[in-house]
Amino acid sequence: MNKKQISILGCGWLGFPLAKHLISKGYKIKGSSTTVSKKLMLAEAGIQPYIFKLGEDNNQEIYDNFLSESEVIVINFPPRRIPDIINIYQEQIRSILPHIKNYQKVIFVSSTSVYQNTNDWVTETIDNKPEKDSGKAVLAVENLLKSHSKENLTVLRLAGLIGYDRVPGRFLANKKEVANGQAPINVIHQDDCIGLIDAILKHNSWGEIINGCADNHPLREEFYTLAAKKANLTPPEFKKSETIQFKKISNTKSKALLNYNYKYPDPLILVR
């Protein structure tokens, strides 16, 4: 049986290896980038390339061609950290919505930044109250997509992204008075991000909200100290006494619904 055609909006750090993985599984892939110089790289990987920036007036025909005949659309386009991020991100996604047909399935690569700190476990059922503008922007787009087609939409909320060239030792190296050293962290490896999307496709799991996060949640101080030492960098210095704020992202639903076993359940394996 022929595999589906999939359009991946955003072939960057996650989208490009995702596209290559899906091609290896027999899928036909259309992929987008905002960078003209990436067109050849996409084509050489077997991806049908499209170069455009969301929200530009002259893109209507490009949107139609990019999305046409694809059974699944993966929206993997995170908001940029810019002023008025909440409105701009919605307008960018809103510009392509009229070109998504009712029968097309959508995976929106979201973020666990939509969750507030609870000093406890967090599941997909919580009433979201994001604390930062980036989280507010992502939640607003989740709701925008739900209003377009809730039944055909699956939202994948990913924790902090690590793996390959995202070396966590660089994140906090040399910093002083770093907060929340005794708080548990929430991260997910690139391979598990791809594995979860593959599992959603395999199980035809639509109309869902799913968290993606490693099983274990080591303390921030331990993880980033080890990560810096492994990268031969100066470890960060954490505050000695403070009130910590945290959340622990539960991945129970992802494992049960998708029958998924995380490749990297313990982030400490990556930094020891």
Side-chain angles (χ1 to χ4, degrees):
M1 183 177 72
N2 292 330
K3 288 290 184 79
K4 298 179 174 71
Q5 177 174 282
I6 298 175
S7 294
I8 300 177
L9 178 64
C11 283
W13 181 83
L14 175 58
F16 183 59
L18 170 65
K20 292 196 293 183
H21 169 80
L22 294 176
I23 287 171
S24 74
K25 291 289 192 78
Y27 291 92
K28 296 180 180 179
I29 302 297
K30 293 181 177 182
S32 80
S33 175
T34 60
T35 307
V36 174
S37 60
K38 285 187 176 181
K39 185 173 183 178
L40 179 60
M41 180 185 75
L42 296 179
E44 288 179 341
I47 303 164
Q48 187 174 345
Y50 289 80
I51 307 299
F52 59 84
K53 294 182 179 179
L54 284 178
E56 294 188 352
D57 292 338
N58 59 349
N59 285 342
Q60 303 307 308
E61 186 175 350
I62 296 175
Y63 292 161
D64 280 335
N65 291 335
F66 173 60
L67 299 177
S68 66
E69 299 180 7
S70 288
E71 296 178 54
V72 177
I73 299 160
V74 179
I75 299 178
N76 177 46
F77 178 78
R80 295 173 58 199
R81 297 184 183 276
I82 54 176
D84 202 21
I85 182 176
I86 299 171
N87 289 322
I88 290 174
Y89 190 45
Q90 288 182 86
E91 287 304 312
Q92 288 174 318
I93 300 300
R94 191 177 281 117
S95 70
I96 205 166
L97 276 185
H99 305 271
I100 299 176
K101 309 303 182 185
N102 291 334
Y103 63 85
Q104 291 177 306
K105 311 294 187 184
V106 176
I107 297 174
F108 176 53
V109 180
S110 183
S111 166
T112 56
S113 63
V114 301
Y115 298 122
Q116 65 274 26
N117 287 322
T118 62
N119 289 4
D120 204 345
W121 287 97
V122 171
T123 70
E124 293 86 348
T125 61
I126 192 173
D127 183 20
N128 303 105
K129 297 177 182 177
E131 296 165 354
K132 296 182 179 180
D133 281 353
S134 56
K136 293 175 183 178
V138 172
L139 184 61
V141 165
E142 282 189 15
N143 291 329
L144 187 64
L145 291 167
K146 287 177 188 175
S147 67
H148 180 74
S149 179
K150 186 174 182 179
E151 295 76 15
N152 288 335
L153 168 72
T154 286
V155 174
L156 180 60
R157 292 173 175 166
L158 298 178
L161 304 174
I162 60 173
Y164 301 109
D165 60 333
R166 288 205 176 185
V167 180
R170 300 174 187 161
F171 295 171
L172 298 177
N174 295 302
K175 295 188 180 296
K176 310 289 185 183
E177 290 291 295
V178 179
N180 274 340
Q182 296 305 300
I185 64 166
N186 303 285
V187 295
I188 183 170
H189 192 278
Q190 184 189 88
D191 288 352
D192 283 315
C193 299
I194 293 171
L196 287 169
I197 293 171
D198 193 358
I200 290 168
L201 296 170
K202 177 181 177 181
H203 291 275
N204 282 309
S205 185
W206 307 110
E208 300 286 352
I209 297 175
I210 304 169
N211 290 337
C213 185
D215 290 4
N216 295 349
H217 304 262
L219 297 183
R220 196 165 189 241
E221 182 172 0
E222 179 185 18
F223 181 78
Y224 286 107
T225 297
L226 288 171
K229 288 179 178 178
K230 184 173 183 179
N232 295 316
L233 299 170
T234 302
E237 295 180 8
F238 289 84
K239 293 180 179 179
K240 299 301 181 186
S241 179
E242 61 174 337
T243 301
I244 63 171
Q245 298 290 322
F246 68 90
K247 53 182 174 267
K248 290 174 72 173
I249 305 299
S250 170
N251 68 6
T252 300
K253 181 177 179 179
S254 68
K255 292 191 289 187
L257 180 69
L258 303 175
N259 192 28
Y260 186 74
N261 293 314
Y262 281 75
K263 184 176 180 180
Y264 295 98
D266 183 4
L268 287 179
I269 292 174
L270 300 169
V271 297
R272 282 184 173 138

